Amino acid sequence: MNERLKIAVNTGGGDAPGLNAVIYAVTMASYRRGWEVYGIQTGYAGLLDTEQIIRLTPEKVTGIVSMGGTILGTTNKGDPFRLPFKNALGEIEIRDVSDKIVSNFKRLGLDVLIAIGGDGSLRIAHRFAQMGMPVVGVPKTIDNDLASTIITFGFDTAVSTATEAIDKLHSTASAHERVMVVEVMGRNAGWIALNSGTSGSADVILIPEIPFRIKNVCDKIMNNELRGKRYGIVVAAEGARAEGGEVIHKGKTEDGRQDVLLGGIGEWVAREIQQQTGKDTRSLVLGHLQRGGSPTTFDRLLALRFGAAAVRFIAEGRRNVMVASAPPDMATVPLEVAVEKMKSVPLDSDSILTARDMGISFGDE
Ligand code: ADP
């Protein structure tokens, strides 16, 4: 196909290590085909105020593969179908600016948007596809919780960061004979907690898929005491909850999304352990550390493969699909089905069985 396409690319939702590697791959693979690439800054903001569009060239993207963050900027408050605006009275009004975005896209002669983002971004991309703006989605979630792709970039880096933190906590927890509770990301799926907790030899791992009983968690800590291990490490996914309890959160997000801002489970578990066992217990939240930093080699390569595959699929004429990892290949999934199913940790998975065999408790027994 000799058509000289004009590709737009943006990043949406929370950042994940590897976004820049996708942008790099999209730029390089497009240039190789003689196409032009335009970076839309801050989600869709660059298509509202087109001054915010930047031309991406091989020179412009040199050296970004190893960088965390995204050179295009991102937002999790910019859904163009319900964008919050401050009106003249200083009140927040919700507006639908999607028509303006589609008309700017067409006016600029852009052919396809490569939308890199999580399930929220991909849902937005799907709505744009239905409005006649051709889209190819690249999934981004450090939680690795999308069912239609085997793996997503950013996850390996997040797990490595969490494991490194757990490693460090062993020495300080042991020195003070304390229990340390680490809260990691994982809203609906406990992959980060499970993989980092197992690799980091935690005593207890709490994940959303397995409601826990705090008594079991305390029993595990006290059993360790009896065996002479006088400190403990608990890894809790932010979405973990006690049996019959609710997830612990900090209320609604500012932009009125349905989701609540999770966080607080680590602190709650630490308080309970301290009260019920009398052991000095501290908690910490890894939070955004898990999103930051340079992507691991695994994530870089995966991100480059996602970007290059997006361009190859566009060259083949595929539109309104999400690129998916289907080892050893990359595949496409229609956008409307791509975000339908989440991937939670199967309770009989090898990873769970391995953790149990290592003597790790999930607080369920
Ligand atoms: P995360 O996986 O980090 O939660 P999502 O992709 O699910 O990210 O997006 C979360 C929210 O961020 C969406 O519901 C939407 O409000 C906003 N958002 C996502 N992508 C974009 C984008 N490209 N431009 C503007 N806002 C976006």
Side-chain angles (χ1 to χ4, degrees), residues 206-221:
L206 304 175
I207 59 174
E209 293 86 343
I210 307 181
F212 63 89
R213 259 174 269 145
I214 194 70
K215 174 166 187 314
N216 295 340
V217 175
C218 295
D219 285 351
K220 169 71 184 165
I221 303 290

Side-chain angles (χ1 to χ4, degrees), residues 283-307:
S283 68
L284 82 155
V285 180
L286 280 196
H288 290 85
L289 269 181
Q290 294 158 93
R291 293 191 182 278
S294 182
T296 58
T297 310
F298 182 89
D299 277 341
R300 281 181 211 188
L301 191 54
L302 187 61
L304 292 172
R305 292 180 61 207
F306 266 105

Side-chain angles (χ1 to χ4, degrees), residues 5 9 33 51 55 68 72 93 96 99 108 126 142 151 166 176 189 191 195 198 214 233 237 280 311 313 326 344 354:
L5 295 181
V9 56
R33 289 167 172 80
E51 294 285 299
R55 178 89 186 260
L72 296 176
E93 244 179 56
D96 180 348
D99 280 337
L108 293 167
H126 179 230
I142 61 167
I151 188 120
I166 296 166
H176 290 269
W191 295 105
N195 287 11
T198 307
I214 194 70
I233 305 281
D280 185 18
V311 171
F313 290 136
S344 44
T354 301

Side-chain angles (χ1 to χ4, degrees), residues 10-15 42-45 74-80 83 115-124 140-142 255 257 259 291:
N10 72 355
T11 47
D15 64 317
T42 328
Y44 288 94
T74 186
T75 173
N76 52 16
K77 297 185 174 66
D79 180 349
L83 195 61
I116 315 168
D119 58 326
S121 300
L122 296 172
R123 270 192 201 100
I124 295 170
K140 170 247 45 156
T141 150
I142 61 167
D255 56 346
R257 275 188 276 144
D259 301 344
R291 293 191 182 278

Side-chain angles (χ1 to χ4, degrees), residues 294-352:
S294 182
T296 58
T297 310
F298 182 89
D299 277 341
R300 281 181 211 188
L301 191 54
L302 187 61
L304 292 172
R305 292 180 61 207
F306 266 105
V311 171
R312 277 201 311 277
F313 290 136
I314 291 172
E316 287 171 14
R318 292 193 225 185
R319 304 287 185 269
N320 308 337
V321 290
M322 184 193 86
V323 182
S325 127
D329 301 313
M330 298 302 270
T332 54
V333 185
L335 265 182
E336 66 266 28
V337 298
V339 290
E340 248 171 28
K341 246 181 102 199
M342 304 306 281
K343 178 172 61 190
S344 44
V345 177
L347 299 189
D348 57 353
S349 67
D350 180 69
S351 297
I352 294 274

